Amino acid sequence: MVTSKDVAALAGVSQSTVSYVMSGSRSISPATRARVEAAMEQLGYHPNASARALAGQRAHVLGLVVHVTARTELAGVLPFVETVTGAAREREYDVVLVTGDEGDAGLERLARRGIVDAFLVMDVTRRDPRLGTLARLGRPTVLIGRPDEPLGLHWVDLDGRRAGELAVQELVAVGHREVIVLGEPVGEPGEEHRFIADFEDGARQAAERAGVPVALVRPPERGWAGVLAVRDRLVEGARRGGLVARTPQVAERVLQLLLEAGLDPARDTALVAMCEDDVARRLRLPVTNVSTESRPLARRAVDALFARLQGRTDLPDEQLVTPVLTRRTTTPGHPDRP
Amino acid sequence: MVTSKDVAALAGVSQSTVSYVMSGSRSISPATRARVEAAMEQLGYHPNASARALAGQRAHVLGLVVHVTARTELAGVLPFVETVTGAAREREYDVVLVTGDEGDAGLERLARRGIVDAFLVMDVTRRDPRLGTLARLGRPTVLIGRPDEPLGLHWVDLDGRRAGELAVQELVAVGHREVIVLGEPVGEPGEEHRFIADFEDGARQAAERAGVPVALVRPPERGWAGVLAVRDRLVEGARRGGLVARTPQVAERVLQLLLEAGLDPARDTALVAMCEDDVARRLRLPVTNVSTESRPLARRAVDALFARLQGRTDLPDEQLVTPVLTRRTTTPGHPDRP
DNA sequence: TTGAAAGCGCTAACAC
DNA sequence: GTGTTAGCGCTTTCAA
């Protein structure tokens, strides 16, 4: 193994000079820097991460907490995770994955052993049981999802109210005088996530402001069975007005039911889905969508985390990201696209 | 920060004794062990990971290489990742995520800096460009996916030939005398993955052995558009025989087209999909499926990796996992379920 | 069965 | 602008 000592010897400098060349934390003459860099190159030097972490009191690793439940949209988390690791790498950080199994003890272990310097927690609910532990651990932490009581932790979330509003406003704009919002399945604590509650609120209020009746339809269960159980109401509603689906899965199923009922979502009715843009484009029809902005959200979260890691406190403790609506074929007759 | 020195002082032993109590690598008298453990408990001691890694020459971290491409089935990777981290944790290992962006330099960095002790590489293609680097790095490595030239690296994969065979045999068993296999979109190098080539081979050969004609239908492109483009052939084929879909997405779309064409997949035709069991159960109809066994596959991969980490070489270098077929409603008329 | 002590490879005062 | 040196908190010989 090549160490910084070897590099120092070859370059004819001290070990600390090698260290300073790497960290840039003190000025080095161009000549010395060149010799050191040449030596590194020649020896194929790679600094040892454990030694650096031990001496520097920083692991250069952040913990990404992903708790997968039955309700998790599996396909949505990977782009998020990828964005996080990419953004972390730009700052010379690696990412360790924390899955739910270990619970709070796992978080404690990672923090106390110095395996991670900071936490990024995905899919935080309104009264998330992990928050107490995270606050107590005192490591820089950013939550994805808005809790009722942040306990001093920073959070980032999509603006649910605005998302619901955008969806309904689009339906109203294309001339619909009635709106059906497909909500969370009954019996499940849909209000667990602040975003969902806000979405339904925003949709309802936008409809009220427009003087248009809204129905919030909750399927009796999750999955196909739930959607099928409310099929008649949906198809009926679609004949008279427009539909809002809060997830791509539901959008896909609704689309299918509409087609089977002989309704063309691009002509006879309207549909707005909440999902990633690329998913919206790849559904059976390109569906008008309110974006979930998962990559921008991930970036903001990482930015906030590194700001804290660098001891900055001049930033807001909470950030709401504004979703964007993109018109596609399922909001026909829009004035901008006659 | 509480260190092993503090624990030693409180327990009235030397630091090395504390270390040996933790590692179990030398015998300790019950009395001493009890005192040390009590001291750890009392102080809330957590051993520092960097120090341990530096002294012990092991990071206790493995690198999970996930290269997400347009073809990646996003929903499929998370269960896999979760299983890997869970299995790693059982051996006191953590997992760092390696995404594709950094390429081979990223793998080199992780290995050379001693950030990871070993690699688990997902979604390996037949001539995967990463293999050269991985072989050169000399760290224990297990590939998920069978390369043409393993270069001495261990691999684990699902038995594609058997999977294709099972699907076709089921269709034949329920009385179909004609089979359509939905293959990879044309223009994409579908043979990139060994599993896919083997799957198509296995299906073809099983049909030949049964004296039944097979058609391999390749959609002209990926996504809905591709499936729609071959709709007529599929529906025609379904009227006369059975269908095989190699992914849950394709299965979902085929199901929909059949329903729209007035065919009930539970009565009028038959469909076998390759997908996870829980996905098969949650499609619009419970679909007969050949399992992808992603959790068992992940487990085997981790087992193989730890065997190598412990220097064991008494194991096969390659492992094929056998998929399992589960009959559900879309293979009607099976003799076992009249 | 236990202790003393020498590192592991780096960082960051403190010197000059 | 550079060198010297004392750790960071563990593991693991070597000795007893």
Side-chain angles (χ1 to χ4, degrees):
Chain A
M1 173 183 244
V2 181
T3 72
S4 61
K5 218 172 197 164
D6 302 327
V7 174
L10 180 59
V13 299
S14 76
Q15 200 184 12
S16 65
T17 298
V18 174
S19 175
Y20 287 122
V21 164
M22 294 191 289
S23 71
S25 65
R26 91 177 179 191
S27 56
I28 304 281
S29 76
T32 305
R33 150 160 284 124
R35 287 214 317 290
V36 170
E37 282 169 349
M40 287 174 163
E41 173 75 15
Q42 187 180 333
L43 296 174
Y45 170 66
H46 289 262
N48 181 286
S50 307
R52 180 205 285 261
L54 180 58
Q57 311 275 41
R58 286 226 152 171
H60 288 266
V61 171
L62 60 86
L64 179 59
V65 186
V66 190
H67 197 176
V68 179
T69 69
R71 333 185 39 205
T72 310
E73 279 179 43
L74 295 178
V77 354
L78 212 53
F80 196 96
V81 168
E82 223 191 354
T83 307
V84 168
T85 56
R89 284 300 310 135
E90 287 170 14
R91 274 112 163 173
E92 306 269 70
Y93 261 67
D94 284 295
V95 172
V96 332
L97 261 185
V98 192
T99 51
D101 326 345
E102 279 190 286
D104 285 11
L107 301 178
E108 178 126 26
R109 184 180 61 83
L110 290 166
R112 291 264 139 83
R113 295 192 169 206
I115 295 169
V116 308
D117 300 328
F119 289 108
L120 204 58
V121 188
M122 290 179 65
D123 201 35
V124 170
T125 56
R126 295 186 75 158
R127 339 192 59 179
D128 203 298
R130 300 168 292 188
L131 301 193
T133 301
L134 288 164
R136 188 165 47 76
L137 289 174
R139 298 287 179 287
T141 298
V142 171
L143 313 173
I144 315 292
R146 179 177 184 175
D148 286 345
E149 283 293 344
L151 306 181
L153 301 168
H154 188 119
W155 59 259
V156 177
D157 202 354
L158 197 59
D159 187 339
R161 181 171 301 277
R162 183 81 188 113
E165 206 171 79
L166 279 171
V168 167
Q169 283 172 350
E170 171 74 359
L171 293 176
V172 170
V174 300
H176 287 288
R177 309 306 303 159
E178 201 170 324
V179 170
I180 289 190
V181 176
L182 258 161
E184 290 306 290
V186 296
E188 303 207 17
E191 54 291 351
E192 232 186 331
H193 288 89
R194 174 66 182 262
F195 171 80
I196 296 175
D198 284 357
F199 183 90
E200 295 177 358
D201 260 23
R204 191 180 307 117
Q205 289 179 13
E208 277 168 16
R209 280 201 300 279
V212 159
V214 229
L216 181 65
V217 174
R218 295 194 184 280
E221 56 182 300
R222 195 158 280 280
W224 255 111
V227 177
L228 284 174
V230 296
R231 161 165 43 184
D232 294 347
R233 289 182 67 189
L234 293 183
V235 172
E236 245 346 275
R239 289 194 202 285
R240 295 196 315 264
L243 302 177
V244 176
R246 219 195 35 79
T247 66
Q249 290 88 345
V250 169
E252 168 113 49
R253 290 164 190 158
V254 166
L255 217 46
Q256 181 165 347
L257 292 183
L258 295 177
L259 289 169
E260 283 174 28
L263 288 170
D264 179 348
R267 312 196 146 268
D268 311 324
T269 178
L271 172 65
V272 178
M274 174 96 208
C275 65
E276 290 294 333
D277 291 337
D278 57 345
V279 172
R281 258 185 262 111
R282 282 186 205 124
L283 287 169
R284 181 138 173 205
L285 294 176
V287 169
T288 294
N289 75 306
V290 176
S291 63
T292 49
E293 301 288 308
S294 77
R295 291 186 190 274
L297 208 60
R299 280 222 150 258
R300 287 232 208 165
V302 175
D303 288 348
L305 198 53
F306 278 98
R308 311 224 135 191
L309 226 27
Q310 284 150 25
R312 283 173 51 194
T313 47
D314 58 324
L315 344 95
D317 280 318
E318 5 218 72
Q319 289 189 55
L320 231 29
V321 173
T322 306
V324 173
L325 181 135
T326 306
R327 285 173 195 136
R328 307 183 203 274
T329 59
T330 61
T331 46
H334 193 281
D336 296 1
R337 199 197 51 221
Chain B
M1 175 183 243
V2 180
T3 72
S4 62
K5 219 173 199 166
D6 302 326
V7 173
L10 180 58
V13 299
S14 76
Q15 200 184 16
S16 64
T17 298
V18 175
S19 175
Y20 286 120
V21 165
M22 295 192 289
S23 71
S25 65
R26 94 175 176 193
S27 56
I28 303 282
S29 76
T32 304
R33 152 161 281 126
R35 287 214 316 289
V36 170
E37 282 170 348
M40 287 174 162
E41 173 75 15
Q42 186 180 333
L43 297 174
Y45 171 65
H46 290 261
N48 181 286
S50 307
R52 180 207 284 259
L54 180 58
Q57 310 276 42
R58 285 221 154 178
H60 289 267
V61 171
L62 60 85
L64 179 59
V65 186
V66 189
H67 196 175
V68 178
T69 70
R71 332 185 40 203
T72 310
E73 279 179 42
L74 295 178
V77 356
L78 212 52
F80 196 97
V81 167
E82 222 191 354
T83 307
V84 167
T85 56
R89 284 301 309 137
E90 286 170 16
R91 276 112 162 172
E92 307 269 67
Y93 261 68
D94 284 295
V95 173
V96 334
L97 261 185
V98 193
T99 51
D101 325 344
E102 280 190 286
D104 285 12
L107 301 178
E108 178 127 25
R109 184 180 61 83
L110 290 166
R112 292 263 139 83
R113 295 192 169 205
I115 295 170
V116 308
D117 300 327
F119 288 107
L120 204 59
V121 189
M122 292 182 62
D123 200 37
V124 170
T125 56
R126 296 186 74 157
R127 340 192 58 179
D128 203 298
R130 301 169 291 190
L131 301 193
T133 301
L134 288 165
R136 187 165 47 75
L137 289 175
R139 298 287 179 287
T141 298
V142 171
L143 313 173
I144 315 292
R146 179 178 185 175
D148 286 345
E149 283 293 345
L151 306 180
L153 302 168
H154 188 120
W155 59 260
V156 177
D157 203 353
L158 197 58
D159 186 339
R161 183 171 300 278
R162 183 80 188 114
E165 206 171 78
L166 278 172
V168 167
Q169 283 172 350
E170 172 74 359
L171 293 176
V172 169
V174 300
H176 287 289
R177 310 306 303 159
E178 201 170 324
V179 169
I180 289 190
V181 177
L182 258 160
E184 290 305 291
V186 296
E188 302 206 17
E191 55 291 350
E192 233 186 332
H193 288 90
R194 174 67 183 263
F195 171 81
I196 295 175
D198 284 358
F199 183 89
E200 294 177 357
D201 260 24
R204 192 181 304 118
Q205 289 179 14
E208 277 167 17
R209 281 200 301 277
V212 158
V214 228
L216 181 64
V217 173
R218 293 193 184 282
E221 55 182 301
R222 193 158 282 279
W224 255 112
V227 177
L228 284 174
V230 295
R231 160 164 45 183
D232 293 347
R233 289 182 68 187
L234 293 183
V235 172
E236 245 346 275
R239 290 193 201 286
R240 297 197 313 266
L243 303 176
V244 176
R246 217 195 38 76
T247 66
Q249 290 88 344
V250 169
E252 167 113 47
R253 290 163 190 158
V254 167
L255 217 45
Q256 181 165 345
L257 292 182
L258 296 178
L259 289 168
E260 283 174 27
L263 288 169
D264 179 349
R267 313 195 144 267
D268 312 323
T269 179
L271 173 65
V272 177
M274 173 95 208
C275 66
E276 289 295 333
D277 291 336
D278 57 345
V279 172
R281 258 186 262 111
R282 282 187 204 123
L283 287 169
R284 182 138 173 202
L285 293 175
V287 169
T288 294
N289 74 307
V290 177
S291 63
T292 49
E293 301 288 307
S294 78
R295 291 186 190 274
L297 208 60
R299 281 222 150 259
R300 287 233 208 164
V302 175
D303 289 348
L305 197 53
F306 278 97
R308 311 224 134 190
L309 268 172
Q310 285 149 26
R312 284 174 50 195
T313 47
D314 58 323
L315 344 96
D317 281 316
E318 4 218 73
Q319 288 189 55
L320 232 28
V321 172
T322 306
V324 173
L325 181 134
T326 306
R327 286 176 195 132
R328 306 183 205 275
T329 59
T330 60
T331 46
H334 192 281
D336 294 1
R337 199 198 48 222

